[in-house]
Amino acid sequence: MELFKNNRWLLIPILSSLLLLVLMKTVLFLGYVPTESMEPTLKKASFILGTRLYGDLTDGDIIIFERDGRLLVKRITASGGEAVVRNGITLIVPENCYYVQGDNVNHSYDSRFWSDPFVKESSIKAKLLG
């Protein structure tokens, strides 16, 4: 018990670290923008903060999602049930899916180029805060 009394000051940093760890695993998401695909909105090599707890996603929201084992950051341009024209062909976005593009369309590898152009809701890790 003497050891606890002498080291009681350690309790605050330990509890703070545990709280931060729980928040990062359940509520918040820290990400990184590796390319210029979202410029000028998000600069290349910047860190971003997202929330894992989000309601309905709508066109214009920026999401962080997993595709082919990589995390990507893009803007939703169409949601389930909406039509998009890709290479002269009209596609209907399936329910619980999204069509996404980077803000810097000349330097973004996004739904316009993927063989399966839709991001499933289950692949979304977070919605950008702010």
Side-chain angles (χ1 to χ4, degrees):
M1 198 49 95
E2 186 69 29
L3 179 64
F4 177 74
K5 286 182 181 181
N6 291 338
N7 295 311
R8 193 174 13 189
W9 61 273
L10 285 173
L11 205 52
I12 291 174
I14 290 171
L15 289 177
S16 298
S17 297
L18 286 174
L19 178 62
L20 183 61
L21 179 66
V22 168
L23 279 174
M24 293 307 290
K25 288 291 188 180
T26 59
V27 178
L28 300 174
F29 185 93
L30 183 62
Y32 178 75
V33 182
T35 68
E36 63 273 359
S37 70
M38 286 300 293
E39 287 184 350
T41 308
L42 303 172
K43 298 289 184 198
K44 179 181 178 179
S46 62
F47 288 94
I48 55 175
L49 187 62
T51 177
R52 296 175 192 267
L53 305 176
Y54 51 85
D56 293 333
L57 295 171
T58 59
D59 296 0
D61 287 341
I62 297 174
I63 58 171
I64 303 150
F65 60 97
E66 187 172 354
R67 183 162 188 97
D68 299 328
R70 294 178 46 213
L71 289 175
L72 301 175
V73 181
K74 304 289 180 203
R75 186 179 301 277
I76 295 173
T77 56
S79 303
E82 295 179 351
V84 292
V85 177
R86 185 177 100 156
N87 300 325
I89 299 169
T90 301
L91 303 172
I92 303 297
V93 180
E95 291 301 318
N96 300 315
C97 291
Y98 302 93
Y99 191 88
V100 297
Q101 290 182 316
D103 288 357
N104 188 351
V105 293
N106 294 327
H107 294 93
S108 180
Y109 183 63
D110 50 41
S111 288
R112 297 170 297 152
F113 305 104
W114 301 331
S115 58
D116 176 9
F118 308 113
V119 175
K120 294 176 178 61
E121 194 163 326
S122 59
S123 299
I124 298 173
K125 303 298 180 194
K127 175 184 171 185
L128 186 70
L129 284 175

